[in-house]
Every structure is written in C-alpha cells, then in structure tokens.
C-alpha cells in the first residue's frame, strides 16, 4: 500500500502548475540531494513549434518547461539511450512520464543490464493519451478561425482556477483567448474520451500497482479529507503516492524544507481512490468512439465538434453560464452537495 500525501507549493509555483506544484518541488529536492552538475531531468515539454516532446535538462531551474499538463502523446523512446548514457556516467536521473513510458524505459535499462540505483521514476495518473492528429487539427482549426499562428498554449491555465480545465491560447498577432468556448474544445474531446488512443482503453497500468517510485496527480476530493480554505482549493493540490524507499527518501527531503506558504500533509485511508478512477480501471471507451473515428476520416474538424460536442451557439451559451456560476458561491454549494451524495452512497 502506498503512503499518500497532499501537497501545495508556494503560490508562484502553483500558478504555473496543473495541480499543487509538487513536481517542481521534487526536482529541486532531487538536485539539492545530489548536487548541481550531477543530475539530469527528463520530462515532457511543449516546445516552440507547439509539439510535445520528452527533453532532458541539466538543472532544476530549467524544469519549469515540464510544469503544466500536456494532453498530447509525447515520444520519449529516442531519449532512452541518453538516459542510459547519463547513468553509465554516474549521473543521477529523474524521469517523469506516463506509466507505460516508465515501463518501457525500465525494460530498456534492464535489457542493457543497467543498474537503476541512480534513477528515480515519477509516473503520472493518466486519463489516457490523445494522439498528435487531433492536437494538430485543433491547432489548425484555431489558427484558421482567428487568422494567426498559435505561439503559446496552456492546457490548464491555473489563474482561471483548478477544477474546470481552463485553457489559454496566444496567437502571433498578440491576441489571447482565456477560458473560452473555443479553448475548451480540446480538453472536452479528451475528457469525453474521443481523442484518446485506442490502446488506452485496455491500459494495464490503470491500477495501484505502479512502475514509478512516486505517482503524481490532482488530489481531487482533498477538501473532504483535510481542512482547506476556498482559496487553497482553488489553487490546486497535488496527490503524491510513495511506492519505494527511493520515493520515501525524496519525500523526506521535501518534508524538511521550510514552507512559508502551502502545505505537505500525509493523508490516511483509501478515500482518495473514490476520485481517482484511473487508479482503479482504465478510462471507459465512449459508445460512439468507433463511429467518431470513422467520421474523422471524412469530415472536417468543425463538422466533428459540431456533431460530437454540439459546438455552436448553444454550446457557447452553456459554457458561458457555467463559467459565470463558477465565479459565484453557488459552485461551493454544488461541490459540497456532490461530496455529500458520494458519502451517502458509500454508507
């Protein structure tokens, strides 16, 4: 059974992160333990060409490229030889990725008879990975719609909140879109399961048996387990699961750091699993998944989102209404109501 922690970093880091900013804190603790120049960090980054790739950096100050979610398949296998080389040269390596990526890297290192004492694996709770095709088509749709090249994108833009997956877009002409109906399209396709790769619906890693030393995710439902202010909840909280001695040792370093903001709290029991279905089973394939992909071969992106998401004036009106409600006390009442219903269901 893993040890379970809730973590929230200082506000400046939380605002750049998808949840509570645990990953960047772990990177800094890792470097503090092993020394600058002795460490290599490998993770997924959204690069200037708007493609998601796994890259390697040499110090914790460069790890901000890894902050924030990237809901696009990231190719990482071409970096496995780099990891092997760094370990052979006695460097300490921190590798973050989806459970299947970590499984492949572990298999590669074992095949090459490399000891793994100096590498720590951080796996992510994964809803399923969207392929590049829909991401590329979505970018093209945005660029055509607004007549300018996309130069910046945040899949989850924390200044707009934690729980609604608000996105941010910036174009080359300077225009910005912040949490609009149009920026919601990509995350909607992801959360509904249409953009997820077919293999993810049979994912063998969607359970509590993890291949990482640590597991990171959003600590959904944390407010039912520990006392938090509304501001703390809005900022986001990281869920950290520790599976190995190496994971425990890195968390010990994190625990020793003096925190003037945020918190690091161990939680107990298995309540967190109620909010983490991908630690129980894979994401369920949508009923219309096969039909969606048959249509995708023939229809335009605009036609697809109109048919499967209902994109149009009604979609935009509902989105705006929900956005306004989230900025009122009604959202707090609604979330409390949902939590109470879940508790009664378990009795």
């Amino acid at each position: 059974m893993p040890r379970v922690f809730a973590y929230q970093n200082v506000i400046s880091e939380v605002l750049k992160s998808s949840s509570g900013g645990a990953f960047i804190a772990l990177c800094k603790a890792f470097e503090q333990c092993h020394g600058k120049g002795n460490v290599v960090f490998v993770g997924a980054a959204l690069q200037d060409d708007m493609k998601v790739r796994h890259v390697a950096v040499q110090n914790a100050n460069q790890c901000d490229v890894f902050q924030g979610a990237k809901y696009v398949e990231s190719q990482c296998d071409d970096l496995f030889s780099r990891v092997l080389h760094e370990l052979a040269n006695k460097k300490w390596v921190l590798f973050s990725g989806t459970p299947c990526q970590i499984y492949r890297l572990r298999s590669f290192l074992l095949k090459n008879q490399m000891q793994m004492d100096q590498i720590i694996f951080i796996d992510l709770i994964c809803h399923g990975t969207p392929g590049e095709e829909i991401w590329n088509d979505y970018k093209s749709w945005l660029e055509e719609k607004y007549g300018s090249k996309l130069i910046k994108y945040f899949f989850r833009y924390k200044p707009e909140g934690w729980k609604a997956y608000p996105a941010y877009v910036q174009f080359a002409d300077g225009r910005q879109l912040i949490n609009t109906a149009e920026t919601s399209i990509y995350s909607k396709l992801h959360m509904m399961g249409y953009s997820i790769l077919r293999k993810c619906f049979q994912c063998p890693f969607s359970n509590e048996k993890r291949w990482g030393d640590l597991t990171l995710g959003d600590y959904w439902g944390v407010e039912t387990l520990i006392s938090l202010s509304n501001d703390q909840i809005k900022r986001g909280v990281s869920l950290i699961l520790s599976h190995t001695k190496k994971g425990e040792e890195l968390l010990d370093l994190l625990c020793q750091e003096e925190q003037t903001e945020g918190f690091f709290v161990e939680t107990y029991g298995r309540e967190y699993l109620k909010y983490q279905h991908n630690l129980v089973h894979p994401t369920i394939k949508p009923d219309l998944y096969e039909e969606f992909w048959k249509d995708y071969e023939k229809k335009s992106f605009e036609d697809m989102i109109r048919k499967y998401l209902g994109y149009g004036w009604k979609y935009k009106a509902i989105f705006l209404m929900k956005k306004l409600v989230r900025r009122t006390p009604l959202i707090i009442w609604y979330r409390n109501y949902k939590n109470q219903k879940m508790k009664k269901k378990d009795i």
Side-chain angles (χ1 to χ4, degrees):
M1 297 288 291
R3 292 180 69 187
V4 184
F5 300 87
Y7 181 84
Q8 187 175 90
N9 209 326
V10 298
I11 295 175
S12 59
E13 295 294 355
V14 168
L15 289 177
K16 294 185 288 184
S17 306
S18 294
S19 49
F23 179 74
I24 195 69
L26 289 168
C27 290
K28 291 178 179 179
F30 188 71
E31 183 176 74
Q32 180 184 346
C33 178
H34 302 298
K36 289 184 178 180
N38 297 319
V39 292
V40 176
F41 303 90
V42 183
L46 180 62
Q47 301 191 288
D48 290 341
D49 60 2
M50 293 289 109
K51 292 186 179 294
V52 177
R53 300 183 182 91
H54 261 64
V55 299
V57 299
Q58 301 293 324
N59 62 69
N61 289 334
Q62 296 172 312
C63 287
D64 56 353
V65 299
F66 303 136
Q67 287 181 278
K70 295 97 183 171
Y71 299 123
V72 187
E73 184 178 26
S74 172
Q75 300 301 325
C76 63
D77 294 26
D78 56 347
L79 275 173
F80 288 1
S81 295
R82 167 75 182 272
V83 172
L84 183 69
H85 172 77
E86 299 292 359
L87 292 173
N89 284 288
K90 305 302 180 184
K91 290 289 183 70
W92 292 84
V93 177
L94 185 151
F95 183 94
S96 66
T98 60
C100 57
Q101 290 172 331
I102 286 174
Y103 177 80
R104 294 203 306 272
L105 176 54
R106 278 186 173 274
S107 300
F108 174 83
L109 294 176
L110 284 171
K111 182 179 178 181
N112 286 274
Q113 301 181 324
M114 175 56 66
Q115 293 293 318
M116 288 181 265
D117 298 336
Q118 291 191 205
I119 183 170
I120 189 161
F121 298 97
I122 298 180
D123 72 60
L124 308 173
I125 300 174
C126 181
H127 178 70
T129 306
E132 278 191 309
E133 183 178 8
I134 284 187
W135 169 240
N136 290 336
D137 289 342
Y138 173 65
K139 287 187 298 178
S140 297
W141 177 76
L142 278 177
E143 289 174 343
E144 183 178 347
K145 192 175 187 67
Y146 290 93
S148 185
K149 185 179 179 181
L150 185 68
I151 62 168
K152 190 175 289 187
Y153 191 93
F154 293 105
F155 294 86
R156 290 170 69 182
Y157 186 59
K158 186 61 72 60
E160 283 288 299
W162 177 37
K163 296 194 174 186
Y165 288 71
Y168 168 97
V169 170
Q170 184 176 338
F171 295 100
D173 64 7
R175 278 181 296 173
Q176 300 175 347
L177 302 176
I178 301 175
N179 194 22
T180 69
E182 286 67 34
T183 66
S184 75
I185 294 295
Y186 187 77
S187 61
K188 193 82 169 177
L189 288 168
H190 179 214
M191 297 311 296
M192 292 181 71
Y194 291 126
S195 63
I196 292 175
L197 297 171
R198 186 174 275 99
K199 64 183 180 181
C200 295
F201 300 118
Q202 289 83 41
C203 177
F205 308 106
S206 291
N207 51 61
E208 291 183 89
K209 182 183 176 183
R210 313 300 287 183
W211 290 91
D213 299 290
L214 297 170
T215 295
L216 294 184
D218 295 275
Y219 205 141
W220 304 123
V222 65
E223 64 272 20
T224 68
L225 302 176
I226 60 177
S227 179
L228 297 175
S229 69
N230 290 330
D231 282 343
Q232 287 174 314
I233 296 169
K234 185 178 179 181
R235 290 172 199 154
V237 181
S238 293
L239 171 68
I240 309 176
L241 306 180
S242 176
H243 307 284
T244 66
K245 184 179 178 182
K246 281 193 290 184
E248 294 276 342
E249 289 171 350
L250 189 55
L251 289 183
D252 285 342
L253 286 173
L254 200 62
C255 189
Q256 291 168 18
E257 292 184 7
E258 183 179 348
Q259 288 195 220
T260 55
E261 299 176 49
F263 54 85
F264 184 34
V265 179
E266 185 167 7
T267 61
Y268 299 92
R270 295 169 63 76
E271 288 284 305
Y272 71 96
L273 285 174
K274 292 195 302 185
Y275 306 91
Q276 300 290 345
H277 72 265
N278 287 118
L279 290 178
V280 180
H281 57 76
T283 294
I284 297 170
K285 185 168 75 170
D287 292 339
L288 298 178
Y289 184 83
E290 300 301 337
E291 180 183 331
F292 176 91
W293 280 103
K294 284 180 183 177
D295 281 345
Y296 205 87
E297 295 175 4
K298 302 174 288 186
K299 296 179 180 290
S300 69
F301 189 83
E302 176 93 13
D303 288 339
M304 291 298 296
I305 61 176
R306 286 186 180 277
K307 178 176 179 178
Y308 290 92
L309 302 186
Y311 177 73
W313 70 266
K314 188 175 180 181
Y315 180 97
K316 295 176 185 179
I318 292 172
F319 178 87
L320 181 59
M321 182 176 67
K322 288 181 176 179
K323 182 176 177 178
L324 293 173
V325 167
R326 289 189 186 100
R327 295 179 176 178
T328 72
L330 282 173
I331 192 62
I332 300 169
W333 173 86
Y334 175 69
R335 286 171 181 160
N336 288 337
Y337 172 73
K338 279 182 67 178
N339 290 333
Q340 288 300 319
K341 282 190 71 174
M342 290 191 73
K343 285 182 180 179
K344 288 179 181 178
K345 190 177 179 181
D346 292 335
I347 294 175

